[in-house]
Amino acid sequence: MSLFDGEPEALKSDPIKDVAPLKPQPIDSKPDDDAADVPALQPPEAPGRAKAKACAPSAKRKKLTLAPSDIVKVADMPLYSEDAIESALESMKQLPATQLWFTYKDIQYYFGVSRATVMRRLQKRLVPGVRMIGASVLEDSAIRRFDRVQMRWLLLSLRCRRES
């Protein structure tokens, strides 16, 4: 006979029918007289350490203030030469006409420009429509997408590297 051959006697009876229903017990609201005699236990103090003071919430809390963000506008863009504009428009002709949004991976594929280079151009405020706080670029979503106007300004900034 193996361990799993027969059904044990304990499992044959219905455990739900055998249990008596629980009755709620009232809670004594009056403390026990014996409990007043027992002193409250305190953790031992470490030698040479001062007792910690109870921390009360401070009435003068620093309020967290967020710096206002601004959006880079087309009016903020530098002036580029006619040759640079023609070169950027010529480069954009290789983009598919049906594609409206471009990711960092698309920019790498079509133009060979790394994500780091694109981020440097965004930080220098050379692409319109990007939200910034100071010199920090704010991410709009998990994946940044550039439209065709932003792509044109990005290509212009790559063609005419402005040292600042």
Side-chain angles (χ1 to χ4, degrees):
M1 180 167 198
S2 74
L3 183 63
F4 301 106
D5 284 345
E7 192 173 334
E9 293 297 322
L11 294 179
K12 288 183 182 177
S13 65
D14 190 8
I16 296 176
K17 290 181 182 177
D18 296 341
V19 176
L22 294 176
K23 294 181 183 176
Q25 300 293 326
I27 298 175
D28 293 333
S29 60
K30 180 167 73 163
D32 293 339
D33 291 332
D34 297 336
D37 298 336
V38 178
L41 294 176
Q42 299 285 333
E45 290 185 26
R49 290 199 175 187
K51 227 179 186 181
K53 294 180 182 178
C55 294
S58 175
K60 296 180 183 178
R61 284 196 172 175
K62 288 176 74 176
K63 289 190 177 187
L64 179 65
T65 56
L66 298 176
S69 66
D70 63 330
I71 297 177
V72 180
K73 298 177 183 79
V74 174
D76 300 334
M77 297 295 104
L79 297 175
Y80 292 105
S81 67
E82 291 294 322
D83 294 335
I85 294 172
E86 288 176 23
S87 174
L89 292 176
E90 189 67 33
S91 296
M92 287 188 63
K93 286 182 182 178
Q94 70 178 348
L95 297 175
T98 57
Q99 189 172 357
L100 299 176
W101 298 98
F102 303 93
T103 62
Y104 292 117
K105 209 167 199 72
D106 294 330
I107 295 169
Q108 175 74 39
Y109 177 75
Y110 290 115
F111 304 111
V113 178
S114 69
R115 181 184 191 281
T117 301
V118 174
M119 283 303 295
R120 283 192 293 272
R121 296 300 182 256
L122 295 179
Q123 288 174 341
K124 289 183 179 181
R125 304 175 72 92
L126 296 175
V127 179
V130 176
R131 289 186 334 145
M132 301 194 64
I133 292 181
S136 300
V137 177
L138 295 178
E139 294 295 328
D140 292 332
S141 64
I143 299 174
R144 181 176 291 278
R145 291 180 175 88
F146 299 93
D147 62 7
R148 288 185 173 271
V149 174
Q150 289 174 321
M151 287 295 298
R152 185 180 65 162
W153 287 103
L154 177 65
L155 289 174
L156 283 170
S157 71
L158 293 170
R159 299 285 189 266
C160 302
R161 297 182 184 203
R162 177 177 71 140
E163 298 299 322
S164 51

